[in-house]
Every structure is written in C-alpha cells, then in structure tokens.
Amino acid sequence: MQVPKQSMMTPETVSDVKRVKRKKGYRSATFVYAGLIFYFLIIAYPLLWMVMSSFKSTEEIFTNSWSLPETWLVENYVAAWESGISSYFLNSVIVTGLSCILTVLVSALGAYGLSRFEFKGKTFILVICLGGLMLSPQVSLIPLYNIIQKLGLYNTHWALILPYVAYRIPLTILLIRAYFLSIPKELEEAARLDGCTSIGILFRIFIPMSVPILLTTTILTAYYTWNEFMFAIIFIDDDSLRTIPAGLMQFRDALQTDWGVLLAGLTISAAPIVILFLFMQKYFIRGIASGSVK
C-alpha cells in the first residue's frame, strides 16, 4: 500500500510566497492611500479656497479666482468683524453653549433611566423618543412657530435653544444609552452598597466613565446648532440677536456684494467648529465606536 507523497515547500518557496503577498499588500495599500488623499483634496479644497479668497478683493476674486492673493487683505477680516460678525459670533456662542449643555444633561438623565431602570412602558417611551429622529424640522415649522409666539419666546435666544435641544435629544439619548449599557452593573451594585443614590451613581460613576460619548454628542450638537439657518432666520427678527448663519445674509446686497468681506465672515464662522473637531477628534471617534456596539 503506497502512502501519497506530501508536498513539501522549501524555504525559498516560502519566501517567494511571502514576497508575493507583501507586494500585493503594498499595492492594495497604495490604492487605499491614493483614494484617501483624493477624497481629502475634494473635501479640503473648497475650505482652502474660501480662506485664500477671503484675503482678496472682489475684483481679484473674479479675475484671479484660483491663484494666491497678490495682496493679502487682512482688512477684510477687520471689516467683517466690525460689520456685525462680532455680535453674531457672541450670539452663536451663547446659543450653541446652552444648547449643548441642556442637550447632554437631559439626554444623560433620560439615557440613564432607559438603560438602568425597569418600569412599565419603558420600550414604548424609547420608541417614542427615537421616533423624533424621523421628524423633520421643516414639517413642524408652522406649529412650532405658533407655540413660540404663544409662549412669548419669539425674538429671544430661547426661541432657538429650545427647538435645538428638542431636535438633538433623540440621537443623543440613543448614543449615550448605548454607551451606558456597556458599563458593568457590578460598579452600580457596589456603589449602592456604599449608600450611593441613583443620582449619585449617575454623576459619580456613569458621567466620568462616559466622557468620550459625552464629548461626541457635544460635538454633534455644536455642529448642528452653530450652522443651523432655518430657525435662526425665522424665529429671530432682531438683528442684534441673530446668529452667524442668519447674520451673514446681511453681508449680501441686491446691487453689490463685497465678496472678500463675506468670505472672511464665512471663514470666521467655520473656524470654531473646525478647531473644535481637530482638538476632540480622538474622543469623537472613540465615542462613536463605543456607542455603536450595543
């Protein structure tokens, strides 16, 4: 009875196979990096063009649109700031800051109750809460306008803050609740044995352990509220209370527009969110990844 010969690979054959696999890996990595660089250029170039054009005069923007400025006009930023961007910027900081604080605080309380307590109707409440993700702001614009008028909130900062908080709560609760579910129950049980209350457990255990997802939801809320335009232009009529997106409309004229000053204003409005994301991108990625596993 003959035993079949087993195929033996010499060291040279093994090294050749590894070399071929390594070349394929380098080739695939090259395509991936090339695609990422191309995608980055598509995303980053409009922003770079805006910054570059903000130092040009209107005439130079139309004549030399794709070149560097012949003279870097820092005066465009001074004119934009003195033309009202300073007050618009302050209003945006107030509205965005309060919206982020209220959204994260209310959502953390709701997420804690929906993740750690058992009560009748819990699933129904969660479904109703998440149903807000399907509600478009444009659909509820008229009834929301009437409610704000009757409450006497029209032409105040609260006319923007409360709708922003209401529309960001569903997504924020979803993310924070998913993160809370990943926290071991043994920590909560040990805290209760030490006499800690439910609120104490939330603020002493859950909140400190959930910093990544809290920062992630803060970034998402800040991005939404800082750039929101529809509510800002409808619910605010006083120019001194307008936020940056609505205030920039004042820089356009029916007959003539100083595009250099307008682009300088756009650059000022975009800078805070870009800087915020650059400094917190580590927590943003970690929070999104951690909050998506449950």
Side-chain angles (χ1 to χ4, degrees), residues 148 153-164 231 235-236:
I148 288 176
L153 299 177
Y154 182 77
N155 214 24
T156 65
H157 285 147
W158 291 105
L160 300 179
I161 294 172
L162 294 181
Y164 291 164
F231 289 164
F235 296 155
I236 299 293

Side-chain angles (χ1 to χ4, degrees), residues 114 119-130:
L114 292 172
F119 53 89
K120 187 178 296 185
K122 172 183 173 181
T123 304
F124 178 75
I125 294 176
L126 179 61
V127 171
I128 293 297
C129 179
L130 298 182

Side-chain angles (χ1 to χ4, degrees), residues 124-140 163-174 224 231:
F124 178 75
I125 294 176
L126 179 61
V127 171
I128 293 297
C129 179
L130 298 182
L133 294 172
M134 299 182 292
L135 185 62
S136 173
Q138 291 81 3
V139 174
S140 60
Y164 291 164
V165 172
Y167 276 103
R168 300 312 298 175
I169 280 178
L171 178 62
T172 308
I173 285 183
L174 177 66
Y224 171 81
F231 289 164

Side-chain angles (χ1 to χ4, degrees), residues 98-117 125-126 129-130 133 161-181 199 202-203 206-207 210 213-218 220-222:
L98 289 176
S99 298
C100 291
I101 293 173
L102 290 176
T103 300
V104 173
L105 179 60
V106 174
S107 299
L109 291 171
Y112 179 61
L114 292 172
S115 62
R116 291 307 192 189
F117 292 95
I125 294 176
L126 179 61
C129 179
L130 298 182
L133 294 172
I161 294 172
L162 294 181
Y164 291 164
V165 172
Y167 276 103
R168 300 312 298 175
I169 280 178
L171 178 62
T172 308
I173 285 183
L174 177 66
L175 294 174
I176 297 178
R177 176 181 174 272
Y179 200 96
F180 281 179
L181 288 173
I199 294 297
L202 172 63
F203 286 99
F206 280 76
I207 296 298
S210 305
I213 194 63
L214 295 179
L215 291 178
T216 298
T217 54
T218 300
L220 294 174
T221 304

Side-chain angles (χ1 to χ4, degrees), residues 11-286:
E12 292 78 6
T13 306
V14 173
S15 61
D16 292 339
V17 172
K18 290 182 177 180
R19 192 180 300 110
V20 171
K21 290 183 178 180
R22 194 180 300 115
K23 288 183 179 180
K24 289 182 178 179
Y26 289 154
R27 193 178 297 112
S28 60
T30 302
F31 284 115
V32 170
Y33 285 120
L36 291 175
I37 292 173
F38 180 72
Y39 180 73
F40 169 78
L41 292 177
I42 293 176
I43 298 299
Y45 186 76
L47 182 62
L48 295 177
W49 181 88
M50 179 182 70
V51 174
M52 183 176 62
S53 299
S54 66
F55 291 96
K56 297 180 180 180
S57 62
T58 302
E59 181 181 356
E60 188 178 359
I61 290 175
F62 286 98
T63 55
N64 298 316
S65 180
W66 308 105
S67 62
L68 291 173
E70 295 179 1
T71 303
W72 295 78
L73 300 177
V74 184
E75 295 82 3
N76 289 342
Y77 286 85
V78 177
W81 189 259
E82 293 178 350
S83 298
I85 286 292
S86 57
S87 62
Y88 302 149
F89 190 91
L90 178 61
N91 292 329
S92 292
V93 170
I94 294 173
V95 171
T96 302
L98 289 176
S99 298
C100 291
I101 293 173
L102 290 176
T103 300
V104 173
L105 179 60
V106 174
S107 299
L109 291 171
Y112 179 61
L114 292 172
S115 62
R116 291 307 192 189
F117 292 95
E118 295 296 334
F119 53 89
K120 187 178 296 185
K122 172 183 173 181
T123 304
F124 178 75
I125 294 176
L126 179 61
V127 171
I128 293 297
C129 179
L130 298 182
L133 294 172
M134 299 182 292
L135 185 62
S136 173
Q138 291 81 3
V139 174
S140 60
L141 182 60
I142 295 177
L144 189 58
Y145 180 85
N146 293 331
I147 293 174
I148 288 176
Q149 286 279 9
K150 292 179 180 179
L151 292 176
L153 299 177
Y154 182 77
N155 214 24
T156 65
H157 285 147
W158 291 105
L160 300 179
I161 294 172
L162 294 181
Y164 291 164
V165 172
Y167 276 103
R168 300 312 298 175
I169 280 178
L171 178 62
T172 308
I173 285 183
L174 177 66
L175 294 174
I176 297 178
R177 176 181 174 272
Y179 200 96
F180 281 179
L181 288 173
S182 65
I183 297 178
K185 290 186 177 181
E186 289 77 10
L187 294 175
E188 183 179 357
E189 294 171 354
R192 290 193 184 277
L193 291 176
D194 290 336
C196 193
T197 62
S198 297
I199 294 297
I201 292 173
L202 172 63
F203 286 99
R204 295 179 182 178
I205 296 178
F206 280 76
I207 296 298
M209 293 184 65
S210 305
V211 170
I213 194 63
L214 295 179
L215 291 178
T216 298
T217 54
T218 300
I219 294 173
L220 294 174
T221 304
Y223 175 79
Y224 171 81
T225 56
W226 187 271
N227 295 298
E228 201 281 329
F229 177 76
M230 185 180 66
F231 289 164
I233 202 170
I234 293 177
F235 296 155
I236 299 293
D237 191 45
D238 189 352
D239 187 65
S240 63
L241 296 175
R242 292 187 184 275
T243 54
I244 283 184
L248 287 174
M249 291 292 295
Q250 308 300 320
F251 283 70
R252 294 198 60 183
D253 190 85
L255 300 177
Q256 184 178 3
T257 300
D258 192 338
W259 291 101
V261 175
L262 178 59
L263 290 172
L266 289 172
T267 303
I268 294 174
S269 68
I273 297 299
V274 174
I275 294 173
L276 178 66
F277 183 79
L278 289 177
F279 278 98
M280 294 189 176
Q281 59 179 328
K282 177 177 66 175
Y283 301 100
F284 180 80
I285 300 300
R286 187 189 305 172

